[in-house]
Amino acid sequence: MGDYIVNESKSAFIAIVGCPNVGKSSILNRLLGEKIAIVSPRPQTTRTGITGILTTEDNIQLVFTDTPGFHKPKTKLGEHMVQAVDESIGGVDACLFVVEPETELRTAEQELLCRLKQTKAPVVLAINKTDTVKDKAQIALLIVKLTQLCDFKAVVPVSALRGDGIDALLEELKALSAPSIHYFPDDTLTDQPERVLAAEMIREKMLLRLDQEVPHGVAVSIERFSERDDADILDIDAVIYCEKDSHKGIIIGKGGAMLKAISTAARKDLERFFEIQVNLKCWVKVKEDWRNREGLIHNFGLDG
Ligand code: GDP
Ligand code: MG
């Protein structure tokens, strides 16, 4: 049967972990094929923790998350990392662990590896900056050595600087995806913090108005965010995902009153922020496997 399903929809949530400066952002940029503003000046992008989304031609959506805790001060680094890792890798499908081609793992990396082992998520190890190593045999030795430390799904030497090994790395990451819907529109780009921001604004309006139990299972996906060519109007289509039919009813409200109140308030906010007239359309959908993703979504800060 599988023979007839060519490009089945798949996805994977992947946490990129590793010490600062090892090249996590550079690798992500390479994977996404373009230079993107990972460290955005807008705090909104970092709040969600989603740093990059790649939807491949073969219908696989890879959602990358960063580990914010890693950028925190050096005080009690080990403890910090453990905590940060717990928070950011809980519920992901896989981890991409990035190291530099050093002869030994750093203490912090050893601790991180311990933690990664405890989670059930498969780990792909990328040895970055291979361009800095003249003797390639040294890298082969390093691979052998690191392979003994953990049952990595794959160990891939790369150079984000040169682009070496990135295709091979992408193949390994794609192999970690599982049949699933795509959680973001396929054209979602990481350099669109405005989409994230718009979603946050809408979600905020729901939090203000709805009973506590409803917003908990709610997420907002911006399906369209486009400015018209012929007018100064920004068209935003948003889908509000909830867990249950009963929640859907509450969000829509009597005669659509609640949804209208939410979208009117959100539209005003959006107009003020983007300084343009906004045409906001909101839909409410029940996402069946939403509950399974709840922990994950929570980690992304999408549920407040
Ligand atoms: P992050 O903190 O892990 O996200 O690391 P960055 O991606 O910001 O990279 C840290 C530094 O390492 C930057 O100066 C990059 O230019 C450099 N860098 C990243 N990848 C490579 C690589 O493959 N080779 C070399 N030589 N430098 C790299
Ligand atoms: Mg970075």
Side-chain angles (χ1 to χ4, degrees), residues 33-209:
E34 58 193 281
K35 182 80 191 155
I36 55 157
I38 298 293
V39 185
S40 161
R42 295 190 190 177
Q44 286 79 13
T45 49
T46 48
R47 198 164 70 197
T48 63
I50 294 172
T51 51
I53 299 163
L54 174 65
T55 308
T56 66
E57 279 174 2
D58 38 359
N59 212 10
I60 299 174
Q61 184 165 80
L62 303 177
V63 182
F64 294 97
T65 72
D66 217 337
T67 313
F70 277 58
H71 309 297
K72 284 182 185 161
K74 292 159 193 71
T75 51
K76 296 170 101 184
L77 185 62
E79 227 173 273
H80 234 32
M81 274 190 150
V82 165
Q83 211 182 343
V85 168
D86 278 350
E87 283 166 13
S88 69
I89 70 181
V92 294
D93 302 307
C95 293
L96 172 58
F97 181 23
V98 181
V99 298
E100 286 185 13
E102 292 162 350
T103 46
E104 300 284 338
L105 284 188
R106 302 168 200 176
T107 311
E109 287 170 340
Q110 287 170 17
E111 282 181 41
L112 172 57
L113 190 60
C114 272
R115 216 65 193 181
L116 290 176
K117 281 183 186 171
Q118 283 167 23
T119 73
K120 297 275 145 60
V123 181
V124 168
L125 178 69
I127 305 172
N128 190 33
K129 307 195 185 184
T130 54
D131 58 282
T132 61
V133 181
K134 294 219 174 65
D135 182 8
K136 296 303 160 201
Q138 210 179 308
I139 290 170
L141 277 176
L142 185 59
I143 291 173
V144 171
K145 196 168 162 185
L146 292 175
T147 303
Q148 287 161 359
L149 297 180
C150 174
D151 187 18
F152 294 114
K153 271 282 164 194
V155 180
V156 189
V158 300
S159 166
L161 187 71
R162 290 201 200 144
D164 299 342
I166 298 297
D167 288 344
L169 179 60
L170 181 57
E171 287 310 310
E172 295 296 347
L173 297 176
K174 276 161 66 174
L176 301 171
S177 64
S180 150
I181 57 160
H182 290 175
Y183 287 85
F184 298 87
D186 287 356
D187 68 345
T188 303
L189 296 174
T190 47
D191 59 350
Q192 289 185 316
E194 61 268 38
R195 283 187 186 238
V196 174
L197 188 64
E200 289 285 348
M201 283 183 177
I202 295 165
R203 204 171 55 82
E204 183 190 271
K205 301 297 168 286
M206 290 193 286
L207 295 177
L208 289 171
R209 286 173 175 77

